[in-house]
Amino acid sequence: STTQLGQGNSVYCIATQNGCNSNWSNVIATFVKPTPLVILSVPNQTICQGDPVTITASPTGLDYYNFTVNGTSVQNSPGNTYSSSAFNNNDAIVATGGLNGCVSQPSSSIVMTVHPIPSIALSTSAANDSVCQGVPVTFTAAPTGYGTYTFFNNGTQLQSGASNAYTTSTLVSPNSLTAQATNLGCTSPL
């Protein structure tokens, strides 16, 4: 038994008994099929929750690629890419590949960093969302602690920065104030 055979090696046997060697046995010429080496790549390992990501296994041309996420097979096919928008923080992606009946060792893992999308609620200091013209009103996005808060009126940006509050006394009807929060590169929906 050996794992050291190379392409074109021949194997034969000579028996020895009482110091005498036999003739060579029949010769077996070996054909050593290469074992593939699979390498994974991804454009960005740090994403926002729900972002689509495509993992690519190299080289191309293997008979199949088996992609696993956290040890569970998610795709086993001739395609060398796996796409998903359902990755969670610390998900580990590994792949194996097969060629001519030889299966690769598992690839090095790609571990995803997935940041959550901020979720905010906008409130106002005006009772019943109504204020007299010229009277200051404050709009507050909760919770605090996100990197940037951006306030809009009818789609026009009014303020963007670390403050989660926007105060104005220049509102003229009609108004539709909204806010977005950005944290770790991820932005909440309007």
Side-chain angles (χ1 to χ4, degrees), residues 25-189:
S25 68
N26 60 312
V27 176
I28 300 174
T30 59
F31 174 74
V32 178
K33 298 183 282 187
T35 300
L37 173 65
V38 175
I39 299 171
L40 294 183
S41 62
V42 63
N44 194 346
Q45 283 180 248
T46 301
I47 61 170
C48 297
Q49 190 78 47
D51 284 354
V53 175
T54 298
I55 310 287
T56 302
S58 297
T60 59
L62 300 184
D63 296 333
Y64 69 88
Y65 301 84
N66 184 21
F67 290 88
T68 64
V69 176
N70 301 326
T72 301
S73 180
V74 292
Q75 177 179 300
N76 190 346
S77 73
N80 73 316
T81 60
Y82 170 66
S83 297
S84 178
S85 57
F87 288 117
N88 293 305
N89 196 40
N90 293 321
D91 276 352
I93 301 94
V94 173
T96 55
L99 180 64
N100 299 321
C102 298
V103 180
S104 73
Q105 292 294 315
S107 68
S108 295
S109 65
I110 288 179
V111 178
M112 299 300 296
T113 299
V114 182
H115 296 301
I117 302 293
S119 177
I120 59 171
L122 188 62
S123 62
T124 178
S125 61
N128 300 319
D129 296 334
S130 180
V131 64
C132 295
Q133 189 170 0
V135 173
V137 60
T138 299
F139 296 90
T140 304
T144 60
Y146 291 135
T148 303
Y149 295 86
T150 306
F151 293 85
F152 301 88
N153 187 5
N154 297 320
T156 301
Q157 182 176 315
L158 303 171
Q159 171 184 299
S160 185
S163 175
N164 72 317
Y166 168 70
T167 302
T168 183
S169 59
T170 61
L171 292 178
V172 178
S173 289
N175 295 288
S176 177
L177 273 92
T178 54
Q180 278 185 320
T182 301
N183 198 50
L184 301 172
C186 303
T187 302
S188 64

